[in-house]
Amino acid sequence: MMATVRLSFSPAPVHVRTARLVGVAVARRAGVAEELLDEVRLAIGEACTRAVTLHRQYGLTDLVTVEMSDSDSYTVRVIDHAPIEASVGLAKLPPDELAAESLTDDALTTGVGFALLAGFVDDLQVRPVDDGPGTEVRMVWPVTRR
């Protein structure tokens, strides 16, 4: 039975913890292996922190959305509404250039976030949202059915 859980929250850092807790609970129920649950927790936290940071940086009050589904795999989509150039600009900088940049803490968080996510998630996609400004970070983990 496929289930989709949708969580939307205001762009406040305090809500990231809730998103991580819900994400891990849904992952466990979906059949994600126990040894991957820390990666799931860290990846969801990083993607949500990135989204919250971008919203705060641009003064956006739009909700951050997290969608979790468990069909043939466990898929998490984190959707922000920040201008797309904010999301992809820093992601294209090589790590040594990123380290040399004089960046705000917020800008550094969003740029480094992609590098951290790539380390946590084998199946990671980042793309513009279909309608309006924003980015969808899509992460997928394998599940085992009992």
Side-chain angles (χ1 to χ4, degrees), residues 36-138:
L36 294 177
L37 293 179
D38 277 343
E39 293 175 16
V40 170
R41 179 181 56 79
L42 292 169
I44 291 173
E46 190 59 42
C48 289
T49 296
R50 184 193 146 278
V52 166
T53 300
L54 284 169
H55 278 225
R56 293 169 67 89
Q57 183 179 345
Y58 285 89
L60 303 174
T61 57
D62 303 63
L63 299 178
V64 172
T65 302
V66 182
E67 290 182 357
M68 298 157 264
S69 62
D70 64 347
S71 53
D72 295 332
S73 57
Y74 177 56
T75 302
V76 177
R77 296 172 54 227
V78 178
I79 301 163
D80 68 67
H81 300 284
I84 192 70
E85 61 273 10
S87 297
V88 296
L90 289 174
K92 293 180 180 178
L93 284 176
D96 57 334
E97 286 183 34
L98 187 60
E101 289 291 316
S102 176
L103 301 171
T104 65
D105 286 345
D106 286 349
L108 189 58
T109 297
T110 58
V112 172
F114 284 124
L116 291 173
L117 281 171
F120 297 142
V121 184
D122 290 336
D123 188 350
L124 172 68
Q125 297 175 356
V126 180
R127 65 178 196 86
V129 295
D130 293 332
D131 298 323
T135 305
E136 172 187 311
V137 175
R138 182 177 174 272

Side-chain angles (χ1 to χ4, degrees), residues 1-6 22-33 40 67-77 138-146:
M1 177 173 104
M2 185 176 105
T4 299
V5 175
R6 184 183 179 118
V22 171
V24 169
V26 174
R28 184 174 277 123
R29 187 190 71 204
V32 173
V40 170
E67 290 182 357
M68 298 157 264
S69 62
D70 64 347
S71 53
D72 295 332
S73 57
Y74 177 56
T75 302
V76 177
R77 296 172 54 227
R138 182 177 174 272
M139 304 169 284
V140 181
W141 290 272
V143 296
T144 54
R145 300 288 181 210
R146 294 170 202 187

